[in-house]
Amino acid sequence: MPDPRQVSMTSNDGNWQQVIVRDTSELIKLETWRMSDGSNEEVVIANLVKIKDFFIEKMNDFNNNTPQVKMSSFEWKGQEEDKKYWVFGFRAGTGERKVSLICHLDTVPPGNSGWQPFVPRQETRLYKGVPTPFLIGRGSIDDKGPAVVAFESFSRALKKAAADPQVLNKVTLEVLFDTSEETDMSTPKYFAANPNKKPSLGIVFDAFWSVRAEKGIERPVFTVNASDVLSPLPDKLTIEKLSTPDGSVNMIPVTAEARIKGPDELLDEFYKKINDWYRTCPFDDPDYHPADINVTYCGSEVVITTKVAGAQHGSAPHQNRSNGANPVVSLTNFLAFLIDRDILANNHRGEMCRFIRWAFGTRAFGEHHPDLLKRFDTVFGDGNGTTYGLTQLTDNESEDISLGIDIRYVIGHHGKGWDGREGQIDGDSLFNSVFDQLINRYQSETGGARISFKTESIFGPDIRSIRNADLFKINMAYRSIMGDNCPMQAIGGATDAHGRLELITAGALFTDNLGPPVNYHGIDEGAPLTDLENSGKILLYLLTQELGTKEEQESSYSGFHQCHGCCN
């Protein structure tokens, strides 16, 4: 492949992957992830401004080289209490019908620095059984790589329009960039504040080809107060800290850590035997693969660290369990086992471990209490029901410990059933009642301490008909490039399309596997370049159709390799 630095800033028809690598690499270098306490917000905003300037330079370059049609930029900022919202983008045309490509430029945290998340590079990875070129770096697939592809598709469509600029009198094309999709979602706020700016069709380019339903999201926090658990005797080993690194609740953490303290002679024996105990720990499934463990003896404490493997997106704990390991799940289940054997004395941290093992064990679909926690239906089928991603342990030292869970829930966990109409189901979930019953059951069955909780329904399930006209249009574009019908998936991930019928989530991945080698939200995040290229061709076909003539539609992919899946 030629050096991508030698490619000009303007679109170079035919060199999709060169442009993708060149431009996405520049965006990866600019860190746009947010600390949960907002302490790095100034850095994030400064880097987002640099990204905006990057795209403005591309717009100016395009306008200088294509005088027949012109892009223009737009921007909106809003605020509600202490939350700020910001979108910006680029558009062309004056037609009443508007077609938008919607992406986001913020990312989840890096996880750790060991994988060099902000040093873009290319690797060959085995993908769908075939060696495939990947671009590696935070944001490569979520969602900076797709953002570059969207702008490139938009630019190429306008180049087609330059042959007959009058086609832009009947349609407006635009690319819109969200700056806070991973946290507060600016795009829905933008459309709510500016209903006249809504597109006739918006493609949220931030998932898979393509999405017909999204689960609801619930974000509970369970807490055990230290005052509700008897203090252990001083001659016992206890868990003195239990935590995960700072990170997003929608991201399975890289590590979980427990610090064990107590008398030196007990600590010495504990350190010697810990690995054997972990190896023989009776998890709730003999086929469960626990996380890798690292044990260190640091002065007056033993530190146990478990490490993540596999998929790290909070919406896919079942994928993580099948092909990886959640460090929170492995560590807490193991510590509860040590408390049972009186190797560790119980305290509020131990009580949290006992509750986690009792309520969830190592399972992702609520199998330990199916009458309360397990649900699936005709849209979200068996094996794709309500999921429970245990993602955050927050240790407030001597006061309390909290567990944050990322729940993606189906129709049966919502307060209202689905009446068959398209869109988001109104109302809240049933989880306040469900968790009340769960906690009462825990106390009655185990004699354990009272567990408090707070929970928030972010939004309910959103469902579209498989006969939806926009999905049909997307399928036609997909089939024209890929040679097959587009899958219509029901997913746990949440996108900017949620709750808005004029928006459809589609692309950029041609797989629903969020684990290796893509590692969506995870360490070693990578974008398969063939997926990004084919996605760009589908978007270009779709935009060219919107512009008008049959000849233009046919030329949207002439000269390109028409991929029927062989290159994946």
Side-chain angles (χ1 to χ4, degrees):
M1 180 181 292
D3 187 343
R5 292 171 295 183
Q6 297 176 2
V7 182
S8 69
M9 282 293 288
T10 53
S11 298
N12 190 347
D13 288 356
N15 294 321
W16 280 93
Q17 291 193 26
Q18 291 183 20
V19 176
I20 291 167
V21 169
R22 181 202 67 206
D23 289 1
T24 308
S25 295
E26 293 303 311
L27 303 195
I28 287 171
K29 296 173 188 175
L30 298 168
E31 301 184 30
T32 55
W33 60 278
R34 287 176 165 89
M35 296 282 289
S36 60
D37 61 3
S39 57
N40 69 335
E41 185 66 13
E42 288 187 9
V43 173
V44 172
I45 295 300
N47 283 337
L48 287 167
V49 169
K50 290 178 182 177
I51 293 175
K52 178 188 171 187
D53 291 342
F54 174 87
F55 281 111
I56 285 177
E57 183 180 351
K58 288 179 70 66
M59 176 191 73
N60 292 335
D61 198 9
F62 176 90
N63 288 343
N64 290 335
N65 285 280
T66 315
Q68 302 93 328
V69 296
K70 296 291 183 183
M71 296 183 193
S72 62
S73 63
F74 65 92
E75 181 176 38
W76 173 82
K77 293 183 178 180
Q79 185 166 348
E80 292 179 3
E81 298 178 352
D82 60 340
K83 293 184 177 180
K84 296 182 179 180
Y85 305 99
W86 176 28
V87 303
F88 66 87
F90 304 87
R91 65 170 61 107
T94 58
E96 182 178 352
R97 178 169 173 80
K98 181 192 293 183
V99 179
S100 301
L101 305 180
I102 300 169
C103 307
H104 66 90
L105 297 169
D106 60 316
T107 73
V108 295
N112 63 36
S113 60
W115 65 285
Q116 296 183 297
F118 309 110
V119 180
R121 67 269 187 199
Q122 294 183 70
E123 294 178 3
T124 297
R125 293 182 173 180
L126 193 64
Y127 180 57
K128 299 181 180 179
V130 177
T132 303
F134 271 67
L135 179 63
I136 313 304
R138 179 58 88 224
S140 58
I141 193 61
D142 183 28
D143 194 40
K144 291 178 175 178
V148 166
V149 171
F151 191 91
E152 181 68 8
S153 302
F154 170 65
S155 300
R156 293 187 185 212
L158 294 183
K159 278 196 170 184
K160 305 293 182 185
D164 181 12
Q166 297 303 312
V167 296
L168 287 168
N169 293 335
K170 62 182 180 180
V171 65
T172 299
L173 304 183
E174 72 175 16
V175 180
L176 186 150
F177 297 128
D178 193 327
T179 65
S180 61
E181 191 271 351
E182 298 290 359
T183 52
D184 299 318
M185 288 189 166
S186 290
T187 300
K189 300 295 183 180
Y190 167 62
F191 289 138
N194 303 275
N196 62 320
K197 302 295 185 183
K198 292 189 300 184
S200 308
L201 169 62
I203 307 297
V204 177
F205 193 45
D206 182 25
F208 321 113
W209 292 100
S210 61
V211 176
R212 65 152 297 208
E214 297 183 16
K215 298 176 186 177
I217 292 186
E218 189 83 9
R219 294 279 166 77
V221 177
F222 293 87
T223 301
V224 182
N225 289 301
S227 59
D228 290 334
V229 183
L230 290 175
S231 298
L233 297 173
D235 61 345
K236 297 285 189 177
L237 295 178
T238 57
I239 308 168
E240 290 299 311
K241 189 168 185 179
L242 179 62
S243 62
T244 52
D246 185 81
S248 302
V249 71
N250 62 355
M251 176 182 175
I252 294 173
V254 174
T255 60
E257 181 182 276
R259 294 180 175 268
I260 312 299
K261 289 189 176 182
D264 288 347
E265 62 275 13
L266 294 180
L267 209 58
D268 289 342
E269 182 181 8
F270 182 84
Y271 176 68
K272 293 175 183 176
K273 295 182 177 179
I274 186 72
N275 284 299
D276 286 340
W277 287 330
Y278 190 64
R279 180 176 52 82
T280 59
C281 177
F283 291 99
D284 60 2
D285 178 357
D287 295 324
Y288 174 69
H289 301 287
D292 287 344
I293 189 173
N294 183 63
V295 184
T296 57
Y297 201 156
C298 304
S300 60
E301 63 184 13
V302 170
V303 180
I304 308 170
T305 304
T306 47
K307 301 178 181 180
V308 75
Q312 282 184 255
H313 200 294
S315 71
H318 51 301
Q319 288 188 17
N320 174 272
R321 189 184 188 279
S322 297
N323 301 299
N326 182 330
V328 173
V329 169
S330 293
L331 182 58
T332 56
N333 275 259
F334 174 57
L335 293 174
F337 161 67
L338 296 181
I339 292 167
D340 283 351
R341 295 187 61 178
D342 203 31
I343 295 168
L344 296 176
N346 198 29
N347 59 10
H348 61 294
R349 300 178 184 93
E351 192 68 19
M352 177 61 80
C353 295
R354 294 177 66 227
F355 172 70
I356 289 172
R357 183 184 60 177
W358 175 88
F360 304 103
T362 69
R363 312 287 182 164
F365 290 110
E367 293 94 329
H368 277 219
H369 302 276
D371 59 319
L372 296 176
L373 301 180
K374 187 173 182 179
R375 297 287 188 279
F376 61 91
D377 49 60
T378 57
V379 176
F380 305 97
D382 194 6
N384 188 29
T386 299
T387 60
Y388 301 85
L390 280 59
T391 60
Q392 291 183 329
L393 287 169
T394 304
D395 194 323
N396 295 311
E397 299 182 350
S398 61
E399 296 182 7
D400 57 49
I401 184 168
S402 295
L403 167 72
I405 303 181
D406 186 356
I407 298 177
R408 309 298 172 110
Y409 72 89
V410 304
I411 299 167
H413 273 128
H414 201 66
K416 294 182 180 179
W418 182 43
D419 61 8
R421 290 184 294 180
E422 291 190 296
Q424 181 178 311
I425 305 175
D426 293 335
D428 293 328
S429 76
L430 298 173
F431 281 108
N432 263 301
S433 173
V434 166
F435 294 148
D436 267 333
Q437 296 176 68
L438 188 72
I439 287 170
N440 289 335
R441 183 180 296 179
Y442 175 69
Q443 288 185 285
S444 65
E445 290 187 2
T446 70
R450 176 70 185 174
I451 312 291
S452 62
F453 73 89
K454 293 181 179 179
T455 193
E456 179 183 6
S457 297
I458 307 301
F459 39 58
D462 183 298
I463 303 165
R464 315 297 168 89
S465 167
I466 57 174
R467 297 176 179 84
N468 178 286
D470 292 330
L471 284 172
F472 180 80
K473 186 178 296 248
I474 289 168
N475 184 61
M476 291 293 291
Y478 183 98
R479 191 166 61 190
S480 295
I481 301 303
M482 302 303 296
D484 296 306
N485 285 327
C486 183
M488 300 295 173
Q489 303 195 48
I491 69 169
T495 73
D496 276 329
H498 203 113
R500 292 195 169 274
L501 287 175
E502 67 274 10
L503 306 183
I504 296 288
T505 296
L509 283 173
F510 293 83
T511 175
D512 61 358
N513 180 15
L514 296 175
V518 175
N519 300 315
Y520 216 95
H521 277 202
I523 293 173
D524 289 328
E525 177 187 340
L529 292 175
T530 49
D531 279 14
L532 292 181
E533 177 176 359
N534 286 328
S535 291
K537 293 173 181 177
I538 295 169
L539 292 181
L540 177 56
Y541 185 92
L542 186 70
L543 295 180
T544 305
Q545 281 190 312
E546 293 288 342
L547 288 172
T549 69
K550 181 176 185 294
E551 290 76 19
E552 288 168 335
Q553 293 167 23
E554 290 175 349
S555 69
S556 67
Y557 56 91
S558 62
F560 300 147
H561 166 58
Q562 186 171 351
C563 180
H564 296 284
C566 58
C567 58
N568 281 338

